[in-house]
Amino acid sequence: MTLLVGTTFGALLLGGLCAAALSGVVVVQTFLYIKLFPRDSATFKAMVGAVWMLDTMHSLLIYTSVWIYLITNYGNERMIDTIPIPLALTGLISAILTFIVHCFFLYRIHKLSHQQWQFTALILVLALFRLCCATVTTAEMIHMKTFTAFKARFQWVLTLGLAMSSLVDILVTWFLTHLLQTLQREIDVSTSSDRVITSVILYTFETNLLTSVTTILSMICWLTMPDNLIFLGLHFFIGKLYANSLLATLNARKQLRHQTQRGTSVDLPSMISPSSSTRRGRTRKFSSRDEIPTSTKLEITVSRTVEVGVDEALPSQSVKHVFIVQPQPK
């Protein structure tokens, strides 16, 4: 490997600094979640705790790797081609984080599609395959000990893993966007509620786009720049982006609920996450009532009730009642 300080040691240092900044955001998002949603189910609390612990472990491995390159082996240019064990383990931890986040988004797809497994089975298989590729990559990096030896025999494994991660992101984005648009068409709600669903669609697209673009850039650098470590600097904070996308999605519920309270309310718990206070099969009713007086004193009241299942993505039924009330003669 040809040594260029800026694209080798510099890429590692800059990637480590960016990863540290994003790790700080993960900590803030975690404490914000604990404060805002103390009644969430134990499953989601455990998931958030696991994400935080894995992110912390990932950060420590990155700091250790940068220390080995820049401090322990200071001035030893030949060490840039070696792969320390902490550096190899960062890829595995990042892959586990990615898998957890993918499973969370698959849960959302599963709920929005009315528990239709054909929507999620393919993506789940691809996510598992990506995790397997990362496991093989980590094991072979530890075994080969140098980037030169690893690229000679197993370059395709890392490339395939990054490609699978990008493909899963694209599929998750497409399915979520499609299902949310279907929800938007099938629920005849007010303009304010329509804006909320549109905001969720855009937010879903933006968060998944960021992770997929970063992964694709890392893969391109890995394939086209064999003599530097820019791909590794990008790879350092891919896991951080996934962790932040999950936590930001959970914490966005507060803002969405606030927006729905400005007009006719539409609750979207199945799209984001259930709380422990939610009971399965229970429905919530949201009504708007307009009274239209006429000159003949005939009162016509139109009451429209939309029942949305708490654990369902689409409305269970939509009923209109029209009552014509004739006042009693005086």
Side-chain angles (χ1 to χ4, degrees):
M1 178 180 294
T2 304
L3 179 63
L4 295 175
V5 176
T7 57
T8 52
F9 293 111
L12 291 174
L13 179 60
L14 187 58
L17 291 174
C18 292
L22 289 172
S23 185
V25 178
V26 170
V27 173
V28 173
Q29 294 269 22
T30 301
F31 279 101
L32 188 61
Y33 170 81
I34 295 172
K35 181 179 180 180
L36 293 178
F37 304 102
R39 296 183 179 180
D40 260 5
S41 65
T43 301
F44 280 85
K45 290 179 179 178
M47 179 182 65
V48 171
V51 167
W52 175 75
M53 290 178 62
L54 287 170
D55 179 77
T56 302
M57 187 183 304
H58 186 253
S59 298
L60 293 175
L61 290 172
I62 291 175
Y63 305 153
T64 304
S65 301
V66 174
W67 181 273
I68 291 173
Y69 278 115
L70 301 182
I71 306 300
T72 304
N73 295 288
Y74 176 76
N76 188 354
E77 298 179 355
R78 292 177 297 177
M79 290 300 298
I80 196 62
D81 191 42
T82 61
I83 305 176
I85 292 179
L87 181 65
L89 291 175
T90 58
L92 180 60
I93 300 299
S94 180
I96 296 173
L97 261 173
T98 302
F99 181 74
I100 292 174
V101 176
H102 283 159
C103 288
F104 169 72
F105 284 119
L106 286 176
Y107 168 81
R108 297 173 66 191
I109 293 174
H110 182 66
K111 300 298 288 185
L112 282 170
S113 63
H114 291 298
Q115 290 79 39
Q116 297 183 25
W117 279 105
Q118 62 267 28
F119 285 100
T120 56
L122 173 63
I123 306 178
L124 181 60
V125 170
L126 293 175
L128 283 170
F129 185 66
R130 184 264 185 276
L131 181 60
C132 292
C133 289
T135 304
V136 174
T137 298
T138 300
E140 292 302 329
M141 280 187 170
I142 295 174
H143 175 69
M144 293 295 177
K145 294 183 172 54
T146 65
F147 286 106
T148 301
F150 176 79
K151 289 180 180 179
R153 295 185 57 185
F154 296 100
Q155 183 180 23
W156 63 273
V157 179
L158 179 56
T159 303
L160 187 59
L162 293 174
M164 287 299 102
S165 182
S166 301
L167 180 59
V168 171
D169 284 338
I170 293 171
L171 290 175
V172 165
T173 304
W174 186 87
F175 275 112
L176 282 176
T177 303
H178 171 72
L179 291 171
L180 286 170
Q181 287 176 339
T182 302
L183 172 68
Q184 194 174 30
R185 288 192 299 267
E186 294 190 9
I187 299 182
D188 184 18
V189 293
S190 65
T191 303
S192 61
S193 301
D194 183 76
R195 285 198 300 267
V196 171
I197 299 177
T198 301
S199 299
V200 175
I201 293 173
L202 292 175
Y203 182 79
T204 300
F205 180 79
E206 290 171 358
T207 52
N208 287 279
L209 179 66
L210 182 61
T211 54
S212 60
V213 167
T214 306
T215 305
I216 291 172
L217 286 176
S218 180
M219 181 176 63
I220 291 174
C221 293
W222 164 251
L223 293 174
T224 61
M225 302 178 183
D227 294 329
N228 61 51
L229 298 178
I230 293 178
F231 83 93
L232 194 56
L234 291 170
H235 199 272
F236 276 167
F237 55 85
I238 288 177
K240 313 292 185 184
L241 292 176
Y242 278 105
N244 275 298
S245 68
L246 184 147
L247 293 169
T249 300
L250 290 173
N251 292 334
R253 288 175 294 171
K254 194 73 172 180
Q255 182 179 1
L256 291 174
R257 290 172 183 173
H258 177 69
Q259 290 180 11
T260 58
Q261 291 171 359
R262 297 177 182 176
T264 304
S265 297
V266 175
D267 196 73
L268 302 171
S270 61
M271 180 188 59
I272 299 176
S273 73
S275 63
S276 58
S277 61
T278 300
R279 297 292 184 266
R280 188 172 184 82
R282 178 181 170 189
T283 61
R284 294 183 182 178
K285 297 183 179 180
F286 303 91
S287 304
S288 60
R289 185 178 296 270
D290 299 321
E291 296 184 357
I292 309 175
T294 64
S295 58
T296 59
K297 295 184 179 180
L298 178 66
E299 183 180 292
I300 300 177
T301 302
V302 179
S303 175
R304 186 180 187 285
T305 303
V306 179
E307 297 186 2
V308 182
V310 173
D311 287 328
E312 299 295 334
L314 301 177
S316 55
Q317 67 180 80
S318 179
V319 185
K320 286 187 178 180
H321 306 285
V322 178
F323 306 100
I324 301 178
V325 182
Q326 178 68 47
Q328 296 292 333
K330 296 182 180 180

